[in-house]
């Protein structure tokens, strides 16, 4: 006899709820005893306290807020737990479509429980499902990295500053690209399927060995590797690098300059207004003609 989806979900709900309650106290104690850990881990542990009233007054709306912050930082557990809140209407209005989308995000990060739950849920219509505002809105703080002091996400800024020296790229240029590409949204997906902070298309992600485009560090590393390559290919000309990042290096080669596409022209203007430098040091050795031909063919340019 086939068990209905309703009963499957009820049984799973019971099992996962009791597992979460049992683990919440141990997770919180682990975070406390470990000292400083990843921000996502701490946020999830705090959220569980509020969700279950562990040592604090129960506040499920606060739990949702904290889970969402963790999910925004790329925490698979945060994405899963937030999906659970939406699936059960805890602190938010119940929305199975949003729950399934969040479980998909967690499953993509190899979250075992999320993968199990997805087997019992109909796939969400990604065209109609709108993720929670906390995953799509920009959260900005002032930074002194760039000359014109535009706003960036503080945690992403710190990550960029840490990684940029490894690629010999000015952090300000990377932050300008992230600001224009995704608005610091780690889960951003464009109509052309460009993904993550630096909006890597699948071909570019594969080219620079990015396995998880929604992982902030992996995405930034892939984007930096591409920027480093473009800087070498266009000999440090920032405007051409920006144009190529938007339209592809093949288009820039074809027009021997910024392609006359309205979107690309606007894109270059946005990058240049944020970066305020026309040239950037580059490493000639990272470019060879064979890799350019391969990349152009792969992207259909």
């Amino acid at each position: 006899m086939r068990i209905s989806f309703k009963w499957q979900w009820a049984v799973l709900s019971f099992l996962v709820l009791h597992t979460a309650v049992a683990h919440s106290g141990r997770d919180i104690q682990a975070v406390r005893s470990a000292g400083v850990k990843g921000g996502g881990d701490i946020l999830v542990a705090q959220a569980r306290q509020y969700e279950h009233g562990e040592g604090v007054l129960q506040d499920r709306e606060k739990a949702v807020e904290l889970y969402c912050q963790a999910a925004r930082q790329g925490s698979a557990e945060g994405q899963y737990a937030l999906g659970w809140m939406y699936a059960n209407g805890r602190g938010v209005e119940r929305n199975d479509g949003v729950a399934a989308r969040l479980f998909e995000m967690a499953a993509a990060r190899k979250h075992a429980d999320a993968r199990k739950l997805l087997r019992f849920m109909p796939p969400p219509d990604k065209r109609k499902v709108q993720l929670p505002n906390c995953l799509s809105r920009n959260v900005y703080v002032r930074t002194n990295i760039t000359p014109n002091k535009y706003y960036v996400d503080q945690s992403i800024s710190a990550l960029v500053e840490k990684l940029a020296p490894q690629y010999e790229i000015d952090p300000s240029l990377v932050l300008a690209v992230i600001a224009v590409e995704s608005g610091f949204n780690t889960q951003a997906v464009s109509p052309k399927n460009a993904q993550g902070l630096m909006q890597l298309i699948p071909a570019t992600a594969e080219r620079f060995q990015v396995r998880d485009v929604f992982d902030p560090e992996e995405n930034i590393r892939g984007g930096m590797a591409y920027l480093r390559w473009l800087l070498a290919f266009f000999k440090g000309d920032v405007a051409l690098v920006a144009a190529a990042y938007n339209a592809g290096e093949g288009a820039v080669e074809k027009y021997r300059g910024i392609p006359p596409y309205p979107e690309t022209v606007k894109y270059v203007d946005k990058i240049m207004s944020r970066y305020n430098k026309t040239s950037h040091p580059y490493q000639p050795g990272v470019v060879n003609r064979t890799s350019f031909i391969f990349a152009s063919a792969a992207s259909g340019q």
Side-chain angles (χ1 to χ4, degrees):
M1 181 178 68
R2 182 178 175 84
I3 302 175
S4 70
F5 168 71
K6 179 179 179 181
W7 281 106
Q8 287 176 333
W9 182 250
V11 172
L12 283 167
S13 297
F14 176 82
L15 292 174
V16 178
L17 172 62
H18 282 265
T19 300
V21 172
H23 288 172
S24 63
R26 291 199 295 271
D27 289 345
I28 294 162
Q29 185 59 41
V31 169
R32 286 174 175 162
S33 55
V36 178
K37 290 181 64 178
D41 294 330
I42 294 172
L43 289 167
V44 167
Q46 291 174 339
R48 283 181 176 151
Q49 282 185 301
Y50 283 102
E51 181 185 358
H52 303 297
E54 298 274 344
V56 295
L57 290 176
Q58 189 177 58
D59 186 339
R60 287 174 174 169
E61 290 184 2
K62 179 68 174 177
V64 167
E65 178 185 340
L66 291 167
Y67 281 139
C68 210
Q69 289 180 35
R72 182 185 173 88
Q73 291 186 18
S75 164
E77 187 63 31
Q79 292 161 357
Y80 169 73
L82 184 62
W84 184 252
M85 300 296 274
Y86 273 92
N88 291 277
R90 291 171 172 264
V92 289
E93 184 177 349
R94 179 174 174 173
N95 189 316
D96 289 341
V98 170
R101 182 73 185 93
L102 287 162
F103 289 150
E104 279 189 341
M105 291 163 58
R109 295 178 177 277
K110 302 181 180 180
H111 193 287
D113 289 333
R115 287 179 171 179
K116 291 177 184 177
L117 285 178
L118 282 173
R119 294 203 296 264
F120 298 94
M121 301 184 73
D125 186 341
K126 295 180 182 179
R127 295 171 300 178
K128 296 181 180 179
V129 174
Q130 183 175 356
L131 288 172
N133 287 336
C134 63
L135 286 177
S136 57
R137 70 178 179 224
N138 298 333
V139 180
Y140 298 119
V141 296
R142 188 173 293 279
T143 178
N144 60 3
I145 289 178
T146 55
N148 58 354
K149 294 185 182 294
Y150 68 91
Y151 288 85
V152 300
D153 182 281
Q154 190 175 40
S155 61
I156 300 303
S157 170
L159 187 56
V160 168
E161 287 189 276
K162 172 187 172 184
L163 298 175
Q166 300 174 29
Y167 296 84
E168 298 185 28
I169 297 179
D170 186 344
S172 301
L173 177 57
V174 181
L175 288 170
V177 171
I178 293 174
V180 175
E181 287 286 347
S182 67
F184 299 92
N185 179 3
T186 62
Q187 306 300 319
V189 179
S190 80
K192 297 180 180 179
N193 202 31
Q195 301 170 332
L197 286 168
M198 299 191 73
Q199 290 289 275
L200 305 178
I201 61 172
T204 303
E206 181 180 1
R207 178 180 171 188
F208 293 101
Q209 301 178 339
V210 177
R211 290 179 293 181
D212 183 354
V213 289
F214 296 113
D215 178 87
E217 181 167 339
E218 278 202 52
N219 190 285
I220 290 171
R221 284 186 179 279
M224 285 185 178
Y226 187 31
L227 282 176
R228 177 174 62 182
W229 191 94
L230 290 172
L231 283 165
F233 190 83
F234 294 107
K235 298 182 178 179
D237 188 317
V238 174
L240 295 184
V241 167
Y245 200 95
N246 177 260
E249 54 264 34
V252 176
E253 283 283 280
K254 175 182 177 180
Y255 288 100
R256 299 182 181 276
I258 298 172
Y261 311 147
E263 176 190 332
T264 302
V265 172
K266 289 180 181 178
Y267 181 89
V268 173
D269 286 343
K270 289 178 181 179
I271 296 294
M272 300 304 290
S273 68
R274 285 166 169 78
Y275 186 54
N276 289 337
K277 294 180 183 178
T278 59
S279 63
H280 185 293
Y282 61 93
Q283 306 166 53
V286 303
V287 164
N288 62 67
R289 194 68 190 174
T290 302
S291 66
F292 170 65
I293 294 171
F294 170 79
S296 297
S299 58
Q301 296 161 2

